[in-house]
Coordinates of all heavy atoms in Angstrom, one line a residue:
F1 N -62.4 0.7 -26.4 CA -62.2 -0.4 -25.4 C -62.0 0.4 -24.0 O -60.9 0.9 -23.8 CB -61.0 -1.3 -25.7 CG -61.3 -2.1 -26.9 CD1 -60.9 -1.7 -28.2 CD2 -62.1 -3.3 -26.8 CE1 -61.1 -2.4 -29.3 CE2 -62.3 -4.1 -28.0 CZ -61.9 -3.6 -29.2
R2 N -63.0 0.4 -23.2 CA -63.0 1.1 -21.9 C -63.2 0.1 -20.8 O -64.3 -0.6 -20.7 CB -64.1 2.1 -21.9 CG -64.1 3.0 -20.6 CD -65.1 4.1 -20.8 NE -66.5 3.6 -21.1 CZ -67.2 4.0 -22.2 NH1 -66.6 5.0 -22.9 NH2 -68.3 3.5 -22.5
F3 N -62.3 0.0 -19.9 CA -62.4 -0.9 -18.8 C -63.1 -0.2 -17.6 O -63.2 1.0 -17.5 CB -61.0 -1.3 -18.3 CG -60.3 -2.5 -19.0 CD1 -59.5 -2.1 -20.1 CD2 -60.5 -3.7 -18.7 CE1 -58.9 -3.1 -20.8 CE2 -59.9 -4.7 -19.4 CZ -59.1 -4.4 -20.4
R4 N -63.6 -1.0 -16.7 CA -64.1 -0.5 -15.4 C -62.9 0.0 -14.6 O -61.7 -0.2 -15.0 CB -64.8 -1.6 -14.6 CG -66.0 -2.2 -15.3 CD -67.2 -1.3 -15.4 NE -68.3 -1.9 -16.1 CZ -69.5 -1.6 -15.8 NH1 -69.9 -0.7 -15.0 NH2 -70.5 -2.2 -16.5
E5 N -63.1 0.5 -13.4 CA -62.1 1.1 -12.6 C -61.0 0.0 -12.2 O -61.4 -1.1 -11.8 CB -62.6 1.7 -11.3 CG -63.2 3.1 -11.6 CD -62.2 4.1 -12.1 OE1 -61.1 4.2 -11.5 OE2 -62.6 4.8 -13.0
P6 N -59.7 0.4 -12.3 CA -58.7 -0.6 -11.8 C -58.9 -0.9 -10.3 O -59.4 -0.1 -9.6 CB -57.4 0.2 -12.0 CG -57.7 1.3 -13.0 CD -59.2 1.6 -12.8
Y7 N -58.4 -2.1 -9.9 CA -58.5 -2.5 -8.5 C -59.9 -2.6 -8.0 O -60.1 -2.5 -6.8 CB -57.6 -1.7 -7.6 CG -56.2 -1.7 -8.0 CD1 -55.6 -0.5 -8.6 CD2 -55.4 -2.8 -8.0 CE1 -54.3 -0.4 -9.0 CE2 -54.1 -2.8 -8.4 CZ -53.5 -1.6 -8.8 OH -52.2 -1.5 -9.3
S8 N -60.9 -2.7 -8.8 CA -62.3 -2.8 -8.4 C -62.8 -4.2 -8.6 O -62.1 -5.0 -9.3 CB -63.2 -1.8 -9.1 OG -63.3 -2.2 -10.5
G9 N -64.0 -4.5 -8.1 CA -64.5 -5.8 -8.4 C -64.8 -6.2 -9.8 O -64.9 -7.3 -10.1
L10 N -64.8 -5.2 -10.7 CA -65.0 -5.4 -12.1 C -63.9 -4.8 -12.9 O -64.0 -4.5 -14.1 CB -66.3 -4.8 -12.6 CG -67.6 -5.4 -12.0 CD1 -68.8 -4.6 -12.4 CD2 -67.8 -6.9 -12.5
A11 N -62.6 -4.8 -12.3 CA -61.4 -4.2 -13.0 C -61.2 -4.9 -14.4 O -60.6 -4.3 -15.2 CB -60.2 -4.3 -12.1
Y12 N -61.6 -6.2 -14.5 CA -61.3 -6.9 -15.7 C -62.4 -6.7 -16.8 O -62.1 -7.1 -18.0 CB -61.4 -8.4 -15.4 CG -62.7 -8.9 -14.9 CD1 -63.7 -9.3 -15.8 CD2 -63.0 -8.8 -13.5 CE1 -65.0 -9.7 -15.3 CE2 -64.3 -9.2 -13.1 CZ -65.2 -9.6 -14.0 OH -66.5 -10.0 -13.5
A13 N -63.4 -6.0 -16.5 CA -64.6 -5.9 -17.4 C -64.5 -4.7 -18.3 O -64.2 -3.6 -17.9 CB -65.9 -5.9 -16.6
L14 N -64.9 -4.9 -19.6 CA -65.0 -3.9 -20.6 C -66.4 -3.3 -20.4 O -67.4 -4.1 -20.2 CB -64.8 -4.3 -22.0 CG -63.4 -4.8 -22.3 CD1 -63.5 -5.5 -23.8 CD2 -62.4 -3.6 -22.4
E15 N -66.5 -2.0 -20.5 CA -67.8 -1.4 -20.6 C -68.4 -1.5 -22.0 O -67.7 -1.1 -23.0 CB -67.8 0.1 -20.2 CG -67.4 0.2 -18.7 CD -67.4 1.7 -18.2 OE1 -68.0 2.5 -18.9 OE2 -66.8 2.0 -17.3
A16 N -69.6 -1.9 -22.1 CA -70.2 -2.1 -23.5 C -71.4 -1.2 -23.6 O -72.4 -1.4 -22.8 CB -70.6 -3.6 -23.7
G17 N -71.4 -0.3 -24.5 CA -72.5 0.6 -24.8 C -73.6 -0.1 -25.6 O -73.6 -1.3 -25.8
K18 N -74.4 0.7 -26.2 CA -75.5 0.2 -27.1 C -75.0 0.0 -28.4 O -73.9 0.5 -28.8 CB -76.6 1.3 -27.1 CG -77.3 1.4 -25.7 CD -78.4 2.5 -25.9 CE -79.1 2.6 -24.5 NZ -80.2 3.6 -24.6
G19 N -75.7 -0.7 -29.2 CA -75.4 -1.0 -30.6 C -74.6 -2.2 -30.9 O -74.4 -3.1 -30.0
G20 N -74.2 -2.3 -32.2 CA -73.6 -3.5 -32.7 C -72.2 -3.7 -32.2 O -71.6 -4.8 -32.4
T21 N -71.6 -2.7 -31.5 CA -70.2 -2.9 -31.0 C -70.1 -3.9 -29.9 O -69.1 -4.4 -29.7 CB -69.6 -1.5 -30.6 OG1 -70.4 -1.1 -29.5 CG2 -69.6 -0.6 -31.7
R22 N -71.2 -4.2 -29.3 CA -71.2 -5.1 -28.1 C -70.6 -6.5 -28.5 O -69.9 -7.1 -27.7 CB -72.6 -5.3 -27.6 CG -73.1 -4.2 -26.7 CD -74.5 -4.6 -26.2 NE -75.1 -3.5 -25.6 CZ -76.3 -3.5 -25.1 NH1 -77.0 -4.6 -25.0 NH2 -76.8 -2.3 -24.6
T23 N -71.0 -7.0 -29.6 CA -70.5 -8.3 -30.0 C -69.0 -8.4 -30.2 O -68.4 -9.3 -29.7 CB -71.1 -8.7 -31.4 OG1 -70.8 -7.8 -32.4 CG2 -72.6 -8.9 -31.3
I24 N -68.4 -7.3 -30.7 CA -66.9 -7.2 -30.8 C -66.3 -7.1 -29.4 O -65.4 -7.8 -29.0 CB -66.5 -6.1 -31.7 CG1 -66.9 -6.4 -33.1 CG2 -65.0 -5.8 -31.5 CD1 -66.6 -5.2 -34.1
L25 N -66.9 -6.3 -28.6 CA -66.4 -6.1 -27.2 C -66.4 -7.4 -26.4 O -65.5 -7.7 -25.6 CB -67.1 -5.0 -26.5 CG -66.9 -3.6 -27.0 CD1 -67.9 -2.6 -26.4 CD2 -65.5 -3.1 -26.7
M26 N -67.5 -8.1 -26.5 CA -67.7 -9.4 -25.8 C -66.7 -10.5 -26.3 O -66.2 -11.2 -25.5 CB -69.1 -9.9 -25.8 CG -70.1 -8.9 -25.1 SD -69.6 -8.7 -23.3 CE -68.9 -7.0 -23.4
A27 N -66.4 -10.5 -27.5 CA -65.4 -11.5 -28.1 C -64.1 -11.2 -27.5 O -63.3 -12.0 -27.1 CB -65.4 -11.4 -29.6
V28 N -63.7 -9.9 -27.5 CA -62.4 -9.5 -26.9 C -62.4 -9.7 -25.4 O -61.4 -10.1 -24.8 CB -62.1 -8.0 -27.2 CG1 -60.9 -7.5 -26.5 CG2 -61.9 -7.8 -28.7
Q29 N -63.6 -9.5 -24.8 CA -63.7 -9.7 -23.3 C -63.4 -11.2 -22.9 O -62.7 -11.4 -21.9 CB -65.1 -9.4 -22.8 CG -65.3 -9.6 -21.3 CD -64.6 -8.6 -20.5 OE1 -65.0 -7.4 -20.4 NE2 -63.5 -9.0 -19.8
A30 N -63.8 -12.1 -23.7 CA -63.5 -13.5 -23.5 C -62.0 -13.8 -23.5 O -61.5 -14.5 -22.6 CB -64.2 -14.4 -24.5
H31 N -61.3 -13.1 -24.4 CA -59.8 -13.4 -24.5 C -59.1 -12.6 -23.3 O -58.2 -13.2 -22.8 CB -59.3 -12.8 -25.8 CG -59.5 -13.7 -27.0 ND1 -58.8 -14.8 -27.3 CD2 -60.5 -13.6 -27.9 CE1 -59.3 -15.4 -28.3 NE2 -60.3 -14.7 -28.7
I32 N -59.7 -11.5 -22.9 CA -59.1 -10.8 -21.7 C -59.2 -11.7 -20.5 O -58.3 -11.9 -19.7 CB -59.8 -9.5 -21.5 CG1 -59.4 -8.5 -22.6 CG2 -59.5 -8.9 -20.1 CD1 -60.3 -7.2 -22.6
I33 N -60.4 -12.3 -20.2 CA -60.6 -13.1 -19.0 C -59.8 -14.3 -19.1 O -59.1 -14.8 -18.1 CB -62.1 -13.5 -18.9 CG1 -62.9 -12.2 -18.5 CG2 -62.3 -14.6 -17.9 CD1 -64.4 -12.5 -18.5
R34 N -59.6 -14.9 -20.2 CA -58.7 -16.2 -20.4 C -57.3 -15.8 -20.1 O -56.7 -16.5 -19.3 CB -58.8 -16.6 -21.9 CG -57.9 -17.8 -22.2 CD -58.1 -18.2 -23.6 NE -57.1 -19.2 -24.0 CZ -56.0 -18.9 -24.6 NH1 -55.7 -17.7 -25.0 NH2 -55.0 -19.8 -24.8
Y35 N -56.8 -14.6 -20.6 CA -55.5 -14.2 -20.3 C -55.3 -14.0 -18.8 O -54.3 -14.5 -18.2 CB -55.1 -12.9 -21.1 CG -53.9 -12.3 -20.6 CD1 -52.6 -12.9 -20.9 CD2 -53.8 -11.2 -19.8 CE1 -51.4 -12.3 -20.5 CE2 -52.7 -10.6 -19.3 CZ -51.5 -11.2 -19.7 OH -50.3 -10.6 -19.2
L36 N -56.2 -13.2 -18.2 CA -56.1 -12.9 -16.8 C -56.2 -14.1 -15.8 O -55.5 -14.2 -14.8 CB -57.1 -11.9 -16.4 CG -57.0 -10.5 -17.0 CD1 -58.2 -9.5 -16.6 CD2 -55.7 -9.8 -16.6
L37 N -57.0 -15.1 -16.2 CA -57.2 -16.2 -15.4 C -56.1 -17.3 -15.6 O -55.7 -17.9 -14.6 CB -58.5 -16.8 -15.5 CG -59.7 -16.2 -14.9 CD1 -61.0 -16.9 -15.3 CD2 -59.6 -16.1 -13.4

C-alpha cells in the first residue's frame, strides 16, 4: 500500500501497479476516501 506524496493534489490516492492487486487496492481506496471525507 503506497500513497502518493503527502500534501499533494493526490495525497489520498494509493498507487496501483499492474496485475490482480488493483482490485484489492481500489476496495481499500474507497474506504480511505470515505474516512478522509
